[in-house]
Amino acid sequence: MRIGFVGLGNMGSGMASNLLRAGHEVTAYNRSQDKVDALAAAGARPARTVAEACDAEVVVSMLAHDGAVEAVTFGDDGILASLPAGAVHVSASTISVALSERLTAAHGDAGQGFVAAPVFGRPEAAAAAKLFVVAAGSPEVVAAMSPVFEAIGRRTFTVGDEPKTANLVKLSGNFLIASVIESVGEAMALVGKAGVDKQQYLELLTSTLFDAPVYHTYGGLLARQEFEPAGFAAEGGLKDVRLVLAAGESLQVPLPIASLLRDRFLTLLALGGGHLDWSAIGALAERDSGGDAPTA
Amino acid sequence: MRIGFVGLGNMGSGMASNLLRAGHEVTAYNRSQDKVDALAAAGARPARTVAEACDAEVVVSMLAHDGAVEAVTFGDDGILASLPAGAVHVSASTISVALSERLTAAHGDAGQGFVAAPVFGRPEAAAAAKLFVVAAGSPEVVAAMSPVFEAIGRRTFTVGDEPKTANLVKLSGNFLIASVIESVGEAMALVGKAGVDKQQYLELLTSTLFDAPVYHTYGGLLARQEFEPAGFAAEGGLKDVRLVLAAGESLQVPLPIASLLRDRFLTLLALGGGHLDWSAIGALAERDSGGDAPTA
Amino acid sequence: MRIGFVGLGNMGSGMASNLLRAGHEVTAYNRSQDKVDALAAAGARPARTVAEACDAEVVVSMLAHDGAVEAVTFGDDGILASLPAGAVHVSASTISVALSERLTAAHGDAGQGFVAAPVFGRPEAAAAAKLFVVAAGSPEVVAAMSPVFEAIGRRTFTVGDEPKTANLVKLSGNFLIASVIESVGEAMALVGKAGVDKQQYLELLTSTLFDAPVYHTYGGLLARQEFEPAGFAAEGGLKDVRLVLAAGESLQVPLPIASLLRDRFLTLLALGGGHLDWSAIGALAERDSGGDAPTA
Amino acid sequence: MRIGFVGLGNMGSGMASNLLRAGHEVTAYNRSQDKVDALAAAGARPARTVAEACDAEVVVSMLAHDGAVEAVTFGDDGILASLPAGAVHVSASTISVALSERLTAAHGDAGQGFVAAPVFGRPEAAAAAKLFVVAAGSPEVVAAMSPVFEAIGRRTFTVGDEPKTANLVKLSGNFLIASVIESVGEAMALVGKAGVDKQQYLELLTSTLFDAPVYHTYGGLLARQEFEPAGFAAEGGLKDVRLVLAAGESLQVPLPIASLLRDRFLTLLALGGGHLDWSAIGALAERDSGGDAPTA
């Protein structure tokens, strides 16, 4: 397929490479040009504007937050203005439910397709084409996008006809990951202060009931206190918790653990740790029990 | 080995049966006699008093709470008074760190061995000899107990020289399970209110980052709202959260998620749901978002 | 002074009446005309548009939320477009810190003065000219507004040179009120379940360390379970907690009690109680201990 | 009256002095003798054992925690063994509801009277005979104790026929005080980070809705960061929160703010601040927003 790709960050670079590798014709755009050059070396057509990347059947956007998605979509010469009628915008970013609704309406009015397809996985998984894709939108449009999803991920889950449902599910997943970080952080602060070796404790957990990637990955980062470089920065974690709380507010669903997580992220940012991996919030329990801060 | 077994509840019955099946000579005691008769039919020697069960090399106790363990251990003709010097008390119950310290000291004074060996697993796992055993105590005594552990579990983790460490690790594990229940309950309240099918949502979770027994088991109970009969009752869950908080207090480790869990269990009990499976606390998020209570 | 008044709700009607009573020339605007007619009967000049109310030295706005203030200020023929250069906009509404910053900049660019002057007090206090006014802005402009403040309140506190400071202080005050509601609600759930009479309990509190209007007023509403009609509706309470949390987020200050309050308000709204007095969140502790919901 | 007084700490010394000043014959006991000597200089009869202090019509005990009350009451030659039949034990300590029940039963069995009469007020108020007394017990016995209450306090509230009710009410009051400390601490962290002067902010609060001793006293300590010497130490605050949570647990009443307070106290203790005034927990919000810890 002829695919435009907008946003070549930690995640997007790997995804775009995998689209190339799968044989698609990719035109790539990024705000800073060096990432584009790197991908061009791998066979992509470089785009110097968003509009150039929209000369395609599908444009995939993968950006850090609502503001960035709004800028590339609604701006002058943005996706909305540049994408041909009948072409499809696949939004892989983790964005708010509210923005997803707005994108759905705007693309619909413009005669363009819109699919929300946020992904689970860290940069290593993006590079290895092992992402999990959570997709929602009109069934036929979602089905037509399967070559895209197959190129970037290991499995696709279709969760509904309304794009925003995929965004809600993705946000809820990030909430569950952060819940694991916090709870394992509390447990490690407890057993660690009693002298139990954290690495051995993690091995016990992950050999039994907690044998899942989320415990292996985040438990390992916590046991090793390995918060740099960030796979996903705490600032992004705060953003996602804010979005899940906003979704809860509009659905009138209180989420007490999410409220606690928000306070943890704010503390980490106030301590100067916004650039650390989001797993660093799990080290705040230790700080509150007399240990060092993750920023120390 | 000649093994006494005290406490033939949901968990203990399966464990004692597996000791028999492994070829050990088991003398079994239970407060209500019918459970003893059932096990006698399978080859156990029935004991009418705790003291009778102590005519053994090892006595295993598996009881519901600190009070029950204290009663069988410190009471007249209890384990402490009846067990021969050199024999070993294996405490498999989930008890407080403080009681574990007290048992260690008392058995030491009496020239008896003491090993804490709480287990992870629900009654089905106990029946199938698939428990995970978390053991701590003097290395040689723990080593000598391996035939016992092999008969009841699939794997044993030795976590330290002091028995109380095993109890702390076990309590921390129950805390992590309850954290999963609460966080999945919140996530399901959120996506459920948006119309996502909970069973399908769970499948997505358990096919990706959350592919661990704890999510399969408790996520399934929550998706199906299947809280009866209880594998582990909410009253027991409250007890364990209370014990983990007490351990945190004595180590000066605040555990904010445990505090939240305690409030959830109290709410469930106040609504009349103390007999429900402890996973029912995960349904309180839905109650707080306008849905039914798990006791409705 | 020649004063325009925009927003004749529960609070604004009393404030505008008091401005009239103090001898000011008041031109009053409200979205629904009946409130304007009532005030006209008391001597106000009726305005059929916001612009008409802006033919004045000062325009006071008193509206329910950010959206309403934005509409009357930035809309076509709004305050910004209509107020003469050199005249002053006094914003008495409880609005976000962010909107206050935006208003400050916009009025500054237009050569108009801007003062934030949110008030403490319920509708009875507004009617009785007993509000407490929290003002911030350029010192000379704030000073020039003292006839306005004296007419509506019993005391004015000037808290800084930047208008947004007054909004932050006001929001923090509403946070403290809601904290009192929640804590007294929890305490009453506790002693009430033990058989203590709530009214007598409140008398004890307010005769001792807690002898302050906030305990008399909100403790009384809770003891009598008197949540209708609302002096200030729960929907407004949720809005204010959201704004205080937003202010905390932009200053990187976690506010765990505010997080808890947010969850309480969401629960109350999910139960259908958004129209009740905000003190009704204090009855949720009783609901969680097995009592009735405030919406029952 | 002939009054024995057991426990001459910060609070007890002032109370015993005031009993002397009111003309009562006081025999005083304290574990460390120097406090007894000081009171003897003021006219008290010194007691070298608890039993000596029990040669009286009334014995008042004022101790720091359950353990100390148990020791002087149930110990050999304790109050229970030494007090004449018909004489009355007035327990002014802040103790658990459970211990109060146990004391009621034991004194009843011994033919002695028992009244729970915990007090509100800090050491200054104890010295000035300005305590508030919360009393409960058999109406005639409580009535007979009014000379005691009048000598030590400014007002007495009788809250029920069962002594434990007074203990519950007292604990709930300490919970409300700690809630004020936490909420004001959060508010000051917020407005302080925005540049508002805390002392001026407190003046605004206490001039308006929050004009109560609890805000003056604790708000002042927080604004001045004055945590030493402790009027009431954080260790005692943790104890009281633990007791209010225990009371909530036995009544099945979840108390989320109390849960948060418990975590705050544990953090303060973990940081080495157990000896600081309990108001220091209010400074943890500032620590979590990037400021100094109260122990720094």
Side-chain angles (χ1 to χ4, degrees):
Chain A
M1 295 172 92
R2 289 178 48 246
I3 301 175
F5 203 101
V6 175
L8 300 173
N10 277 354
M11 297 291 295
S13 292
M15 294 162 70
S17 297
N18 287 319
L19 288 168
L20 279 173
R21 212 163 284 147
H24 296 293
E25 191 180 318
V26 177
T27 307
Y29 171 81
N30 194 59
R31 208 171 42 174
S32 68
Q33 195 63 22
D34 54 335
K35 301 292 185 69
V36 177
D37 297 341
L39 206 70
R45 211 179 66 181
R48 269 173 313 182
T49 63
V50 171
E52 277 179 47
C54 288
D55 179 13
E57 295 160 78
V58 179
V59 64
V60 179
S61 60
M62 185 63 186
L63 297 150
H65 49 68
D66 277 30
V69 174
E70 289 173 312
V72 301
T73 308
F74 298 107
D76 291 339
D77 301 319
I79 295 174
L80 200 63
S82 313
L83 196 66
V88 178
H89 179 186
V90 173
S91 166
S93 314
T94 299
I95 57 169
S96 69
V97 170
L99 177 56
S100 191
E101 286 187 287
R102 206 176 137 212
L103 290 165
T104 304
H107 284 297
D109 290 349
Q112 300 154 346
F114 178 68
V115 170
V119 296
F120 282 104
R122 288 167 67 92
E124 309 85 80
K130 294 204 163 166
L131 297 170
F132 293 103
V133 179
V134 180
S138 303
E140 61 276 24
V141 184
V142 170
M145 294 302 107
S146 57
V148 173
F149 303 151
E150 278 158 25
I152 62 172
R154 76 169 90 171
R155 185 161 167 196
T156 301
F157 299 87
T158 304
V159 295
D161 295 357
E162 295 183 293
K164 68 176 176 183
T165 306
N167 299 101
L168 182 68
V169 167
K170 163 65 185 174
L171 290 171
S172 81
N174 278 14
F175 157 69
L176 287 174
I177 296 170
S179 298
V180 167
I181 293 171
E182 170 65 21
S183 58
V184 171
E186 294 185 16
M188 283 190 175
L190 180 69
V191 303
K193 203 164 174 180
V196 175
D197 179 78
K198 288 178 187 174
Q199 197 70 49
Q200 196 190 336
Y201 178 68
L202 178 63
E203 202 208 314
L204 184 157
L205 294 179
T206 53
S207 304
T208 60
L209 300 182
F210 304 95
D211 180 14
V214 68
Y215 288 93
H216 286 276
T217 302
Y218 293 100
L221 296 174
L222 282 167
R224 298 188 302 272
Q225 303 263 321
E226 182 182 311
F227 305 130
E228 292 184 274
F232 180 52
E235 278 165 352
L238 174 59
K239 177 208 72 167
D240 286 359
V241 169
R242 187 195 307 124
L243 296 186
V244 85
L245 285 167
E249 186 166 330
S250 83
L251 288 162
Q252 297 183 335
V253 180
L255 301 165
I257 291 189
S259 292
L260 167 60
L261 292 170
R262 183 182 174 282
D263 290 332
R264 289 294 205 193
F265 278 114
L266 281 178
T267 298
L268 185 59
L269 266 64
L271 297 178
H275 64 292
L276 298 178
D277 192 77
W278 68 328
S279 55
I281 61 160
L284 293 173
E286 192 163 313
R287 172 182 183 255
D288 282 349
S289 59
D292 285 336
T295 49
Chain B
M1 296 173 92
R2 290 177 48 245
I3 302 175
F5 202 102
V6 175
L8 301 172
N10 276 355
M11 296 291 296
S13 293
M15 293 161 70
S17 297
N18 286 320
L19 288 168
L20 278 173
R21 211 163 286 147
H24 297 291
E25 192 180 315
V26 177
T27 307
Y29 171 79
N30 193 59
R31 207 169 43 174
S32 69
Q33 196 63 24
D34 54 334
K35 301 291 185 68
V36 176
D37 297 342
L39 206 69
R45 211 179 67 182
R48 269 173 314 183
T49 62
V50 170
E52 277 179 46
C54 289
D55 179 13
E57 296 159 77
V58 178
V59 65
V60 179
S61 60
M62 184 63 185
L63 298 152
H65 48 69
D66 277 29
V69 174
E70 290 174 312
V72 302
T73 307
F74 298 107
D76 292 338
D77 301 318
I79 294 173
L80 200 64
S82 313
L83 197 65
V88 178
H89 179 187
V90 174
S91 167
S93 313
T94 300
I95 58 169
S96 68
V97 170
L99 178 55
S100 191
E101 286 186 285
R102 208 176 134 210
L103 291 166
T104 303
H107 283 296
D109 290 349
Q112 298 155 348
F114 179 67
V115 170
V119 297
F120 282 103
R122 288 167 68 92
E124 309 84 79
K130 295 205 164 166
L131 297 170
F132 294 102
V133 180
V134 180
S138 304
E140 62 275 25
V141 184
V142 171
M145 294 302 107
S146 57
V148 173
F149 302 151
E150 278 158 25
I152 62 174
R154 76 169 89 171
R155 184 162 169 194
T156 301
F157 298 86
T158 304
V159 295
D161 295 357
E162 295 183 293
K164 68 177 176 182
T165 306
N167 299 102
L168 182 68
V169 167
K170 164 64 184 176
L171 290 171
S172 81
N174 278 14
F175 157 69
L176 287 174
I177 296 171
S179 299
V180 166
I181 293 170
E182 170 65 21
S183 58
V184 171
E186 294 184 16
M188 282 189 176
L190 180 69
V191 303
K193 202 163 174 181
V196 174
D197 178 78
K198 287 178 188 173
Q199 198 69 51
Q200 196 191 336
Y201 178 68
L202 178 64
E203 203 207 313
L204 183 157
L205 295 179
T206 53
S207 306
T208 59
L209 300 182
F210 305 95
D211 180 14
V214 69
Y215 287 94
H216 285 276
T217 302
Y218 293 100
L221 295 174
L222 281 168
R224 298 188 302 273
Q225 303 263 319
E226 183 182 311
F227 306 129
E228 292 184 275
F232 180 52
E235 278 165 352
L238 175 59
K239 178 208 71 165
D240 287 359
V241 169
R242 188 195 306 125
L243 296 185
V244 84
L245 285 167
E249 186 166 331
S250 83
L251 289 163
Q252 297 183 335
V253 181
L255 302 163
I257 290 188
S259 292
L260 167 60
L261 292 170
R262 184 182 174 282
D263 290 333
R264 288 295 206 193
F265 278 114
L266 281 178
T267 298
L268 184 60
L269 266 63
L271 297 178
H275 64 292
L276 297 179
D277 192 77
W278 67 327
S279 55
I281 61 160
L284 293 173
E286 191 162 314
R287 172 182 182 255
D288 283 348
S289 59
D292 284 336
T295 49
Chain C
M1 296 173 93
R2 289 175 49 242
I3 301 174
F5 203 103
V6 175
L8 301 172
N10 277 355
M11 297 291 295
S13 292
M15 293 162 70
S17 296
N18 286 319
L19 288 168
L20 278 173
R21 212 164 284 147
H24 297 292
E25 193 178 315
V26 177
T27 306
Y29 171 80
N30 194 59
R31 207 170 44 175
S32 69
Q33 195 64 24
D34 54 334
K35 300 292 185 70
V36 177
D37 297 342
L39 205 72
R45 212 178 66 181
R48 270 174 312 185
T49 62
V50 170
E52 277 179 47
C54 288
D55 180 13
E57 296 159 77
V58 179
V59 65
V60 179
S61 60
M62 184 63 188
L63 296 150
H65 49 69
D66 277 30
V69 174
E70 290 174 310
V72 301
T73 307
F74 298 106
D76 293 339
D77 302 318
I79 294 173
L80 201 64
S82 312
L83 196 65
V88 178
H89 179 186
V90 174
S91 167
S93 313
T94 299
I95 57 169
S96 68
V97 169
L99 178 55
S100 192
E101 285 186 286
R102 206 175 137 212
L103 290 166
T104 303
H107 284 297
D109 290 348
Q112 299 154 346
F114 178 67
V115 170
V119 297
F120 282 103
R122 285 165 69 92
E124 309 85 79
K130 295 205 161 166
L131 296 170
F132 293 102
V133 179
V134 180
S138 304
E140 61 275 26
V141 184
V142 171
M145 294 302 107
S146 57
V148 172
F149 302 151
E150 277 159 23
I152 63 173
R154 76 170 88 171
R155 186 161 166 194
T156 301
F157 298 86
T158 304
V159 295
D161 295 357
E162 294 183 294
K164 68 177 176 183
T165 306
N167 299 102
L168 181 69
V169 167
K170 164 65 185 174
L171 290 171
S172 82
N174 278 14
F175 158 67
L176 287 174
I177 295 170
S179 299
V180 166
I181 292 170
E182 171 64 21
S183 58
V184 171
E186 293 184 18
M188 283 188 175
L190 180 68
V191 303
K193 202 163 174 182
V196 175
D197 178 79
K198 287 178 187 172
Q199 198 69 50
Q200 196 191 335
Y201 178 67
L202 178 62
E203 204 208 312
L204 184 157
L205 294 179
T206 53
S207 305
T208 60
L209 299 182
F210 304 94
D211 179 15
V214 69
Y215 287 93
H216 285 276
T217 301
Y218 293 100
L221 295 174
L222 281 168
R224 297 188 303 271
Q225 303 262 321
E226 182 184 310
F227 304 129
E228 293 184 275
F232 180 53
E235 278 166 351
L238 175 59
K239 179 209 69 166
D240 286 0
V241 169
R242 188 195 307 124
L243 296 185
V244 85
L245 285 166
E249 186 166 331
S250 82
L251 289 162
Q252 296 183 337
V253 181
L255 301 165
I257 292 189
S259 292
L260 167 60
L261 292 170
R262 183 181 175 283
D263 290 333
R264 289 294 206 192
F265 278 114
L266 281 178
T267 299
L268 185 59
L269 265 64
L271 297 178
H275 64 291
L276 297 179
D277 192 76
W278 68 328
S279 55
I281 60 161
L284 293 173
E286 192 163 313
R287 172 181 182 257
D288 282 348
S289 59
D292 284 337
T295 48
Chain D
M1 296 173 94
R2 289 177 48 244
I3 301 175
F5 202 101
V6 174
L8 301 173
N10 277 354
M11 297 291 295
S13 292
M15 294 161 70
S17 296
N18 286 320
L19 288 168
L20 278 174
R21 212 164 284 147
H24 296 293
E25 194 178 316
V26 177
T27 306
Y29 171 80
N30 194 58
R31 208 170 41 174
S32 67
Q33 195 64 23
D34 54 333
K35 300 292 186 67
V36 176
D37 298 341
L39 206 70
R45 214 178 64 181
R48 269 172 313 184
T49 62
V50 170
E52 277 179 47
C54 288
D55 179 14
E57 296 160 76
V58 178
V59 64
V60 180
S61 60
M62 184 64 187
L63 296 150
H65 48 69
D66 277 30
V69 174
E70 290 174 311
V72 301
T73 307
F74 297 107
D76 292 339
D77 301 320
I79 295 173
L80 201 64
S82 312
L83 197 65
V88 178
H89 180 187
V90 173
S91 167
S93 313
T94 299
I95 57 169
S96 69
V97 169
L99 177 55
S100 192
E101 285 186 287
R102 208 177 135 211
L103 291 166
T104 303
H107 284 298
D109 290 349
Q112 300 154 347
F114 179 67
V115 170
V119 297
F120 282 104
R122 285 166 70 91
E124 310 85 79
K130 294 203 163 168
L131 297 169
F132 294 102
V133 179
V134 179
S138 304
E140 62 275 24
V141 184
V142 171
M145 293 303 107
S146 55
V148 173
F149 302 150
E150 277 159 24
I152 62 173
R154 77 170 88 172
R155 187 163 165 193
T156 301
F157 299 86
T158 304
V159 295
D161 294 357
E162 295 183 293
K164 69 177 176 182
T165 307
N167 299 101
L168 182 69
V169 167
K170 164 65 186 175
L171 290 171
S172 81
N174 278 15
F175 158 68
L176 288 174
I177 295 171
S179 299
V180 166
I181 292 170
E182 170 65 21
S183 58
V184 171
E186 294 184 17
M188 283 188 175
L190 180 69
V191 302
K193 203 164 175 182
V196 175
D197 178 81
K198 287 178 187 173
Q199 198 68 51
Q200 195 190 337
Y201 178 68
L202 178 63
E203 203 208 312
L204 183 157
L205 295 179
T206 53
S207 305
T208 60
L209 299 182
F210 304 95
D211 180 16
V214 68
Y215 287 94
H216 285 276
T217 301
Y218 293 99
L221 295 174
L222 282 168
R224 297 188 302 271
Q225 303 263 321
E226 183 183 310
F227 304 130
E228 293 184 276
F232 181 52
E235 278 165 353
L238 174 59
K239 179 208 69 167
D240 286 0
V241 169
R242 188 195 307 126
L243 296 185
V244 84
L245 285 167
E249 186 166 331
S250 83
L251 288 162
Q252 297 183 336
V253 180
L255 301 164
I257 291 188
S259 292
L260 167 60
L261 292 170
R262 183 182 174 284
D263 290 333
R264 289 295 206 192
F265 278 114
L266 281 177
T267 299
L268 185 59
L269 265 64
L271 297 178
H275 64 290
L276 298 179
D277 193 77
W278 68 327
S279 55
I281 60 160
L284 293 172
E286 193 162 313
R287 172 181 182 255
D288 283 348
S289 60
D292 285 336
T295 49

